[in-house]
Amino acid sequence: MKLEGIRPSNFGGVPLLIAILAFVFMIGGIELFSWWMWIIGWVLIFASWGISAEIKNDTLILRYVFGLLPIKLKAEDIEEILVLNRLEKGVLLRYFPGIGVAYMGVLIYALYRYLTFPDNLLPGYYFGALGLIVISSSILISLATSLGKTRHKLLTAVVVFIASAFLLWLKVRAVELIPMVVVLVMITLWTVYDIDTQDYIVLKTRKGRYLLTSNAPRDKVEKAIKAIMEVLSDD
């Protein structure tokens, strides 16, 4: 039985390690001026997110790496299920501090590297570091703030972007970067909005904590939760 509208996240377990590896490649791309490392990093980021969740033979199967990596959680592995949504004001960083540490590491490095870049590089290098600064800091704010405060998070993301745009202006004044800057702010705002308008199912298991996300209608989310609870009750 496929859980419709449910997608596993990369906040814990092996998927989190893949996401951290993706960050390493992105940082390496900036440090070594390597576009291919940057591209590999983005591929790994997409691979770290799950594509589906299903229940088969009293086993919850979370599929990652474009469906090639199944993580199987048997009924006896699941110890607790916690549902977070905008009404419950949950804070994701409380349950998954590892992802916060990963993004904080990216932010600290990107800030350091951006400020130490020489002034004669191609604009794309500054923009790459700036993108990491904006996105990682905005995601950190979203993870550390209670769900449901969408307006406040979007406003904070805008402030972060304005500050980062000023940093870019200090390094390079290239008109051709304006379209890229517009795309960056749109991606950032969409990411913050998407994080804050989803339902979250936290699974505490013997293998660690896993996070399922959904932006599906509430009836589908409730149906998925019921199915997972049935697996737990069968133990």
mmCIF file of all heavy atoms in Angstrom, residues 1 54-61 63:
data_model
loop_
_atom_site.group_PDB
_atom_site.id
_atom_site.type_symbol
_atom_site.label_atom_id
_atom_site.label_comp_id
_atom_site.label_asym_id
_atom_site.label_seq_id
_atom_site.Cartn_x
_atom_site.Cartn_y
_atom_site.Cartn_z
ATOM 1 N N MET A 1 0.841 -1.193 0.000
ATOM 2 C CA MET A 1 0.000 0.000 0.000
ATOM 3 C C MET A 1 0.881 1.249 0.000
ATOM 4 O O MET A 1 1.674 1.475 0.906
ATOM 5 C CB MET A 1 -0.907 0.020 1.243
ATOM 6 C CG MET A 1 -1.640 1.336 1.439
ATOM 7 S SD MET A 1 -2.524 1.401 3.005
ATOM 8 C CE MET A 1 -3.020 3.133 3.025
ATOM 9 N N GLU A 54 5.729 3.427 1.446
ATOM 10 C CA GLU A 54 4.689 2.416 1.285
ATOM 11 C C GLU A 54 4.743 1.408 2.427
ATOM 12 O O GLU A 54 5.755 1.274 3.112
ATOM 13 C CB GLU A 54 4.841 1.695 -0.055
ATOM 14 C CG GLU A 54 6.142 0.918 -0.206
ATOM 15 C CD GLU A 54 6.220 0.192 -1.533
ATOM 16 O OE1 GLU A 54 5.228 -0.456 -1.923
ATOM 17 O OE2 GLU A 54 7.278 0.276 -2.188
ATOM 18 N N ILE A 55 3.628 0.722 2.624
ATOM 19 C CA ILE A 55 3.542 -0.318 3.647
ATOM 20 C C ILE A 55 3.335 -1.657 2.959
ATOM 21 O O ILE A 55 2.431 -1.812 2.132
ATOM 22 C CB ILE A 55 2.385 -0.035 4.622
ATOM 23 C CG1 ILE A 55 2.683 1.233 5.425
ATOM 24 C CG2 ILE A 55 2.172 -1.219 5.563
ATOM 25 C CD1 ILE A 55 1.569 1.647 6.355
ATOM 26 N N LYS A 56 4.197 -2.603 3.289
ATOM 27 C CA LYS A 56 4.131 -3.920 2.669
ATOM 28 C C LYS A 56 4.523 -4.973 3.698
ATOM 29 O O LYS A 56 5.616 -4.906 4.273
ATOM 30 C CB LYS A 56 5.082 -3.978 1.461
ATOM 31 C CG LYS A 56 4.971 -5.248 0.652
ATOM 32 C CD LYS A 56 5.876 -5.170 -0.580
ATOM 33 C CE LYS A 56 5.751 -6.420 -1.434
ATOM 34 N NZ LYS A 56 6.636 -6.345 -2.629
ATOM 35 N N ASN A 57 3.621 -5.888 3.939
ATOM 36 C CA ASN A 57 3.871 -6.976 4.892
ATOM 37 C C ASN A 57 4.301 -6.450 6.267
ATOM 38 O O ASN A 57 5.323 -6.862 6.821
ATOM 39 C CB ASN A 57 4.944 -7.932 4.342
ATOM 40 C CG ASN A 57 4.523 -8.607 3.060
ATOM 41 O OD1 ASN A 57 3.335 -8.877 2.842
ATOM 42 N ND2 ASN A 57 5.485 -8.861 2.177
ATOM 43 N N ASP A 58 3.515 -5.546 6.811
ATOM 44 C CA ASP A 58 3.783 -4.960 8.127
ATOM 45 C C ASP A 58 5.145 -4.273 8.197
ATOM 46 O O ASP A 58 5.764 -4.204 9.261
ATOM 47 C CB ASP A 58 3.697 -6.030 9.222
ATOM 48 C CG ASP A 58 2.273 -6.547 9.385
ATOM 49 O OD1 ASP A 58 1.335 -5.785 9.094
ATOM 50 O OD2 ASP A 58 2.114 -7.707 9.794
ATOM 51 N N THR A 59 5.605 -3.778 7.067
ATOM 52 C CA THR A 59 6.886 -3.080 6.990
ATOM 53 C C THR A 59 6.688 -1.747 6.285
ATOM 54 O O THR A 59 6.069 -1.685 5.216
ATOM 55 C CB THR A 59 7.936 -3.910 6.223
ATOM 56 O OG1 THR A 59 8.108 -5.168 6.881
ATOM 57 C CG2 THR A 59 9.269 -3.179 6.169
ATOM 58 N N LEU A 60 7.202 -0.686 6.893
ATOM 59 C CA LEU A 60 7.165 0.638 6.274
ATOM 60 C C LEU A 60 8.442 0.795 5.456
ATOM 61 O O LEU A 60 9.544 0.708 5.983
ATOM 62 C CB LEU A 60 7.075 1.724 7.340
ATOM 63 C CG LEU A 60 7.101 3.172 6.853
ATOM 64 C CD1 LEU A 60 5.918 3.466 5.935
ATOM 65 C CD2 LEU A 60 7.115 4.139 8.037
ATOM 66 N N ILE A 61 8.279 1.023 4.159
ATOM 67 C CA ILE A 61 9.426 1.133 3.253
ATOM 68 C C ILE A 61 9.548 2.569 2.764
ATOM 69 O O ILE A 61 8.639 3.099 2.122
ATOM 70 C CB ILE A 61 9.285 0.178 2.045
ATOM 71 C CG1 ILE A 61 9.095 -1.269 2.529
ATOM 72 C CG2 ILE A 61 10.508 0.275 1.141
ATOM 73 C CD1 ILE A 61 8.826 -2.253 1.411
ATOM 74 N N ARG A 63 11.676 5.021 0.366
ATOM 75 C CA ARG A 63 12.556 4.903 -0.806
ATOM 76 C C ARG A 63 13.303 6.208 -1.067
ATOM 77 O O ARG A 63 12.697 7.251 -1.238
ATOM 78 C CB ARG A 63 11.753 4.493 -2.036
ATOM 79 C CG ARG A 63 11.070 3.132 -1.871
ATOM 80 C CD ARG A 63 10.525 2.589 -3.173
ATOM 81 N NE ARG A 63 9.896 1.285 -2.977
ATOM 82 C CZ ARG A 63 10.559 0.129 -2.936
ATOM 83 N NH1 ARG A 63 11.871 0.134 -3.102
ATOM 84 N NH2 ARG A 63 9.916 -1.002 -2.752
#
